[in-house]
Amino acid sequence: MPTKDVPDIAETTIPLEKYYCNLRNRGIAGQHWMLFDANSHIGKVKRNIKAPSRIGRNRLSLIDLLRYDVSQLASVVHPRILRILNNVEENKDCICFASECVHGTLDQIVVDEGMDKLEMKLGVLQIIDGLSYLHNSAKILHGNLTPTSIFVTSTKLWKIGGFQFAVQGTVKYPNLFPCYPWTKKLPPQLQPELDFLAPEYLNSSNQPQVTNAADVFSLGVLICWIYSGGKRLIDANNNLESYNIIINQLDAALSLITDELGQNLSECIAKVVSLDVKNRPAVQFLALIKHFDDPTLTVLRQLDDISQEFVEEHKISFISQTLYSALPMIPEQLWFNRILQRFNENLTEYIELYSAILRPLTYMLNNCESHNIYKLRAWFRRITANTTINNEELTVLLLDNLPVIFRRLNDEEVEDRCYALLLSTLNGSSNKLKQTALRIIPYSVDYMSLGFVRAKLIPLLLTMEKYFQDNIQRQVELLVAVAHLSDRCDSATLQYLLTVSSVCTSLHPSIVHSKSRLVQRILHTDVSRLTDSLVITHHLLNPLILGLALPEMTSAHFDDVMSSIRILLDIVEQIRYENDDAGLKRNDSGRLYNRRVSMSSSHLPRLLRMDD
């Protein structure tokens, strides 16, 4: 029987030490094995090594079963079967083998950690895939499908292991397998687990034989165990009499967990665990029932198999459209422990897919809980490090998502690369990229540092006269960007920023109105920052006054421009008097009490025309 005693690894010689080092114990897995993490000597790749716990008095028989288990696993290669990296090796202290990284077995995970219903569905479908391969391609009967034989990898994939009692079919009878009846004469650990065993195994004939329908029965009992959170449909406690009583009352047992299974799955399981072998469906048909007909489930299954898709266009379409559209329906927990895991496993080296990957990543970033944001940083660093203006599609997508990245990611390395990309795009030769960069500035400005705006962005915009020349739309976009940038500026930076508005030289109603809106935005935010009369009159007042003569300007826009002009005249007048020491006298409160009569437009007398 297995024990929880942990062997002293420091004093034990490990047969696989020529391949692995730094063993770290993580407990028992698969009933008879101790589970270890280790580092590979080659590339320091993290792997799992399993060494057996103490085996007891049936040492030779059980060791033979364990050797057989691993040899069978090593001979079967399939994405849903536990992958063996190094076969069994042993010495006087222990026997061990190395597999892909394992998080644990179902008997531990379902009971100790719990599981989302969507994850259960995904896992069951993966078991069905693996069992279907064993039955239809490998012609193998598993013979002991239990929670301890289902391994969950570190990337949340469910894989079938535990091949101690697997039997190979013959060429003549591929679906007829010999078996040995469960008996009290042998210890339970040397036999398949009774609670998951099909009743035909207990046939009293001299040479009992079973079909792969026996595995289907075990799968049905296993599904009930998973969905009920670890409750056994059959709980015979290794007692044949109890087993025979329960097996004839399965309908009553199933009715107790109908709520956990759901109506559709309950009806299917009733056929799967039928005592009549002929009533049980083939394992591959279980994946087609209505219970698994879920678009979200389909998307996650496709993602699990993304490495098997070899057409780049299909990958791009799936990631950027299908997966992106399904994200709102997928629980956030699965974004990080499943979707991000698949990206990490299969897509890090495919730079050509980064533009497709960026869409779901930014959706996750924008909508996830703040404590999960750090999990996305590695991908955004990777993408920004590989983004250049030569990759136009990726650059456009990254620029479009700058506000989300600046607002949520909080990563200086990524922000610096985004700043550099924004500047190189504005300074580049592609008009499409320039337009994208200019249009995103208003949405990103709240997260830009004032130092970047003053030292980098404003000087660059002043050099772009050729791009804006005689193009009304581009000039309007620039003025909108300047208006939003003005919100972040102190007085000195604002005077500098307003010089950018003079790049927009076209005398057009849209330009005049945009400059008027710029003035009103500055006034609304903080009028005290307008302190330079020359800047006000040259860059703001002058173009607005010239615009009044445009006959195309609507009445509403004309009134708007007139209002801006009046206010600017008052500000210039105020600056003039405040700078005229002889004309200023202030009381204790600082208010102006001896002020010349304003001659601004609001105080000019009306001219009346007299008819002769």
Side-chain angles (χ1 to χ4, degrees):
M1 291 292 290
T3 174
K4 292 187 178 180
D5 294 339
V6 179
D8 187 353
I9 297 301
E11 298 180 3
T12 301
T13 302
I14 303 299
L16 290 175
E17 64 182 0
K18 57 182 175 290
Y19 303 114
Y20 303 96
C21 61
N22 300 331
L23 271 67
R24 299 172 294 282
N25 178 266
R26 290 205 287 112
I28 293 176
Q31 191 176 8
H32 300 299
W33 298 94
M34 296 301 298
L35 178 63
F36 294 88
D37 282 341
N39 292 99
S40 168
H41 285 310
I42 303 174
K44 300 296 182 186
V45 179
K46 189 177 182 182
R47 301 297 183 199
N48 286 317
I49 293 183
K50 302 181 185 70
S53 53
R54 295 175 185 173
I55 295 171
R57 63 183 181 179
N58 296 292
R59 174 180 173 83
L60 294 178
S61 299
L62 186 52
I63 284 183
D64 287 340
L65 274 176
L66 296 176
R67 290 193 190 106
Y68 178 74
D69 172 15
V70 181
S71 66
Q72 287 292 97
L73 273 174
S75 67
V76 180
V77 180
H78 188 267
R80 303 293 178 248
I81 307 297
L82 185 66
R83 182 162 56 98
I84 301 300
L85 303 177
N86 291 90
N87 217 325
V88 168
E89 293 195 22
E90 56 188 291
N91 57 24
K92 63 179 182 178
D93 296 315
C94 65
I95 67 173
C96 58
F97 72 97
S99 78
E100 59 185 305
C101 287
V102 169
H103 176 60
T105 47
L106 277 189
D107 60 312
Q108 305 160 329
I109 295 171
V110 169
V111 175
D112 297 341
E113 301 178 16
M115 193 169 293
D116 181 87
K117 186 61 70 73
L118 186 58
E119 248 185 314
M120 291 181 185
K121 290 183 180 181
L122 279 167
V124 168
L125 285 173
Q126 289 171 353
I127 297 174
I128 291 172
D129 287 346
L131 204 57
S132 178
Y133 168 78
L134 291 178
H135 290 177
N136 299 310
S137 299
K139 306 301 181 185
I140 292 176
L141 179 78
H142 185 275
N144 192 33
L145 204 62
T146 69
T148 59
S149 67
I150 305 301
F151 292 80
V152 180
T153 69
S154 57
T155 55
K156 303 299 181 181
L157 291 174
W158 291 22
K159 303 207 174 188
I160 301 175
F163 276 63
Q164 296 99 314
F165 304 100
V167 183
Q168 182 81 46
T170 63
V171 175
K172 188 175 182 180
Y173 301 107
N175 190 29
L176 204 59
F177 306 92
C179 71
Y180 299 92
W182 204 93
T183 174
K184 297 178 181 178
K185 297 178 181 179
L186 285 174
Q189 67 266 29
L190 297 182
Q191 303 182 81
E193 191 168 346
L194 183 60
D195 290 346
F196 292 86
L197 206 58
E200 55 264 34
Y201 274 96
L202 307 182
N203 193 316
S204 59
S205 62
N206 292 330
Q207 290 184 333
Q209 292 180 318
V210 296
T211 66
N212 53 30
D215 276 348
V216 174
F217 180 94
S218 299
L219 175 61
V221 178
L222 177 60
I223 290 173
C224 292
W225 183 91
I226 294 168
Y227 276 73
S228 62
K231 298 176 184 175
R232 292 182 178 235
L233 187 68
I234 303 171
D235 193 359
N237 197 25
N238 293 320
N239 186 292
L240 285 174
E241 289 75 16
S242 298
Y243 176 89
N244 287 324
I245 292 172
I246 297 170
I247 205 72
N248 289 301
Q249 299 177 354
L250 285 182
D251 290 345
L254 277 173
S255 66
L256 297 176
I257 58 171
T258 298
D259 291 341
E260 287 90 340
L261 295 176
Q263 188 63 37
N264 186 268
L265 185 57
S266 292
E267 294 173 0
C268 177
I269 294 296
K271 297 177 182 178
V272 168
V273 298
S274 171
L275 301 186
D276 188 346
V277 174
K278 295 179 181 178
N279 289 340
R280 298 176 200 160
V283 65
Q284 59 267 29
F285 292 122
L286 297 181
L288 303 178
I289 66 173
K290 188 176 180 181
H291 178 75
F292 298 113
D293 185 14
D294 182 343
T296 304
L297 200 60
T298 302
V299 169
L300 291 175
R301 290 184 71 191
Q302 284 182 266
L303 184 62
D304 284 343
D305 297 327
I306 192 71
S307 62
Q308 307 301 315
E309 175 58 69
F310 300 107
V311 181
E312 184 179 311
E313 290 77 12
H314 293 173
K315 284 185 178 180
I316 291 173
S317 175
F318 169 73
I319 295 169
S320 65
Q321 298 177 28
T322 309
L323 176 61
Y324 176 80
S325 301
L327 281 175
M329 299 176 285
I330 299 173
E332 182 176 330
Q333 178 186 355
L334 295 185
W335 293 357
F336 297 98
N337 66 19
R338 197 167 202 98
I339 295 175
L340 205 62
Q341 286 275 20
R342 299 297 168 267
F343 287 0
N344 294 338
E345 282 178 81
N346 304 311
L347 303 177
T348 55
E349 298 178 359
Y350 295 92
I351 297 175
E352 62 274 14
L353 299 179
Y354 280 7
S355 56
I357 296 169
L358 186 59
R359 291 198 73 203
L361 285 178
T362 50
Y363 181 88
M364 294 181 206
L365 176 63
N366 195 32
N367 294 279
C368 72
E369 297 289 339
S370 57
H371 63 268
N372 282 322
I373 290 177
Y374 78 94
K375 300 174 184 177
L376 296 166
R377 284 180 181 146
W379 264 103
F380 278 96
R381 289 179 180 180
R382 189 178 295 121
I383 290 175
T384 52
N386 288 279
T387 303
T388 64
I389 57 176
N390 295 326
N391 188 340
E392 188 172 285
E393 183 181 7
L394 181 56
T395 301
V396 169
L397 281 171
L398 193 59
L399 290 172
D400 284 341
N401 288 288
L402 281 187
V404 176
I405 295 171
F406 286 155
R407 176 169 56 89
R408 300 222 69 195
L409 194 61
N410 192 27
D411 187 285
E412 290 185 5
E413 183 178 328
V414 173
E415 289 176 6
D416 288 344
R417 289 173 182 164
C418 288
Y419 283 148
L421 181 67
L422 181 66
L423 295 175
S424 62
T425 301
L426 289 171
N427 199 34
S429 58
S430 171
N431 288 340
K432 178 183 177 180
L433 292 181
K434 285 183 179 180
Q435 186 179 52
T436 302
L438 195 65
R439 287 178 176 176
I440 206 62
I441 288 176
Y443 304 98
S444 308
V445 67
D446 287 344
Y447 315 104
M448 292 180 180
S449 68
L450 184 59
F452 169 76
V453 172
R454 181 173 53 240
K456 301 288 186 179
L457 189 57
I458 295 176
L460 180 58
L461 292 175
L462 288 170
T463 66
M464 295 174 62
E465 291 186 13
K466 187 175 180 181
Y467 171 75
F468 296 108
Q469 189 174 10
D470 299 328
N471 190 306
I472 303 302
Q473 181 60 38
R474 293 175 184 174
Q475 292 184 23
V476 169
E477 290 171 354
L478 175 61
L479 289 170
V480 171
V482 169
H484 283 80
L485 285 168
S486 69
D487 294 344
R488 299 294 312 282
C489 295
D490 55 26
S491 180
T493 307
L494 180 63
Q495 317 309 316
Y496 187 24
L497 176 66
L498 291 177
T499 62
V500 177
S501 64
S502 293
V503 173
C504 306
T505 57
S506 298
L507 193 60
H508 186 276
S510 297
I511 303 298
V512 176
H513 183 248
S514 295
K515 290 187 176 182
S516 175
R517 302 304 295 172
L518 166 62
V519 170
Q520 294 181 21
R521 190 178 186 102
I522 295 170
L523 298 175
H524 177 75
T525 304
D526 183 6
V527 66
S528 65
R529 295 175 300 163
L530 289 175
T531 57
D532 191 318
S533 298
L534 182 62
V535 170
I536 296 171
T537 54
H538 181 71
H539 298 291
L540 298 178
L541 261 177
N542 186 50
L544 291 182
I545 292 171
L546 291 175
L548 292 176
L550 294 172
E552 303 91 347
M553 185 176 293
T554 65
S555 298
H557 285 178
F558 181 87
D559 291 342
D560 185 80
V561 172
M562 280 296 297
S563 176
S564 297
I565 291 174
R566 289 189 183 101
I567 297 172
L568 288 176
L569 285 172
D570 280 339
I571 292 172
V572 172
E573 184 182 39
Q574 182 71 18
I575 293 171
R576 171 73 176 183
Y577 285 122
E578 287 178 353
N579 291 334
D580 187 354
D581 292 336
L584 287 176
K585 292 182 181 178
R586 294 182 179 275
N587 59 14
D588 293 339
S589 65
R591 285 189 172 185
L592 183 68
Y593 72 90
N594 183 21
R595 184 173 180 267
R596 299 180 187 177
V597 177
S598 171
M599 295 300 292
S600 66
S601 58
S602 60
H603 294 94
L604 291 175
R606 293 188 177 185
L607 298 179
L608 302 179
R609 185 176 60 137
M610 302 292 293
D611 291 328
D612 293 337

